[in-house]
Amino acid sequence: MAQTMLAKDSIAGNRGECFVIIDGRRINFMSAISIEATVEKTKVEVPILGRKTKGWKAVGAKCTGTATFHMNTSLFRETMKHFTETGEDLYFDMIITNEDPGSAAGRQTTVLKGCNLNKIIVAKVDANDEKFLDETIDFTFEDWNLPETFNELEGE
């Protein structure tokens, strides 16, 4: 019989936390609703003599992300305003931790280094939105690491 994961070992998405480090200041990014960061390989096509198919070789990587958060902080608007006034761009780090105490997977922490905003919403109102205002930002980052990784699951 194949070994399977226990349902209790899945990670609840709302059990995470996020901090941003801007100018040495660690800020609890409690306004976050969702964050997703990806690393995509950059590949080049490799022609190979004697084969009909071409090969592929990874030659680099592109790091991008998206964050949606409640529109109740001016933090990113202030940093973008500073950029438009001075030309001085802001790079910051983001620390994202997933930990569901009900899961044997434990805790994983990812640090995104050199995050930089692509664009932001400067102002927003919406008479049709009776719940809450949110905003989504796209960003890039230059490096990342995993200081804490999930436990290997035993299953059943």
Side-chain angles (χ1 to χ4, degrees):
M1 184 158 149
Q3 192 171 16
T4 60
M5 182 188 87
L6 299 172
K8 72 172 191 68
D9 290 335
S10 61
I11 304 294
N14 63 352
R15 300 301 296 207
E17 64 182 1
C18 178
F19 291 88
V20 292
I21 300 174
I22 299 177
D23 292 330
R25 210 171 119 220
R26 183 179 164 127
I27 302 163
N28 187 339
F29 194 38
M30 65 185 84
S31 297
I33 298 170
S34 67
I35 302 166
E36 186 173 299
T38 60
V39 177
E40 179 182 350
K41 289 181 186 177
T42 306
K43 294 182 178 184
V44 295
E45 211 173 81
V46 179
I48 302 170
L49 191 61
R51 281 181 40 183
K52 289 189 182 281
T53 60
K54 295 186 179 186
W56 292 93
K57 180 171 178 123
V59 295
K62 179 172 73 170
C63 303
T64 59
T66 301
T68 300
F69 55 98
H70 295 281
M71 194 166 173
N72 61 1
T73 177
S74 298
L75 178 66
F76 293 128
R77 275 174 282 291
E78 290 168 344
T79 61
M80 190 64 86
K81 181 66 174 159
H82 180 76
F83 170 72
T84 59
E85 289 177 347
T86 68
E88 182 183 356
D89 209 352
L90 174 79
Y91 290 83
F92 58 94
D93 295 344
M94 192 179 302
I95 303 167
I96 302 163
T97 300
N98 300 102
E99 183 177 26
D100 183 341
S103 171
R107 178 180 172 102
Q108 175 179 279
T109 299
T110 306
V111 179
L112 308 178
K113 302 265 198 188
C115 297
N116 186 259
L117 305 175
N118 293 354
K119 68 178 182 177
I120 62 150
I121 294 173
V122 175
K124 179 179 181 178
V125 293
D126 186 347
N128 291 317
D129 194 343
E130 296 175 359
K131 294 182 285 183
F132 54 83
L133 290 177
D134 65 359
E135 62 182 308
T136 299
I137 59 168
D138 294 327
F139 62 93
T140 56
F141 57 101
E142 297 185 6
D143 198 7
W144 62 286
N145 61 41
L146 286 170
E148 294 180 286
T149 58
F150 287 128
N151 301 323
E152 189 172 326
L153 298 172
E154 290 184 25
E156 66 175 5

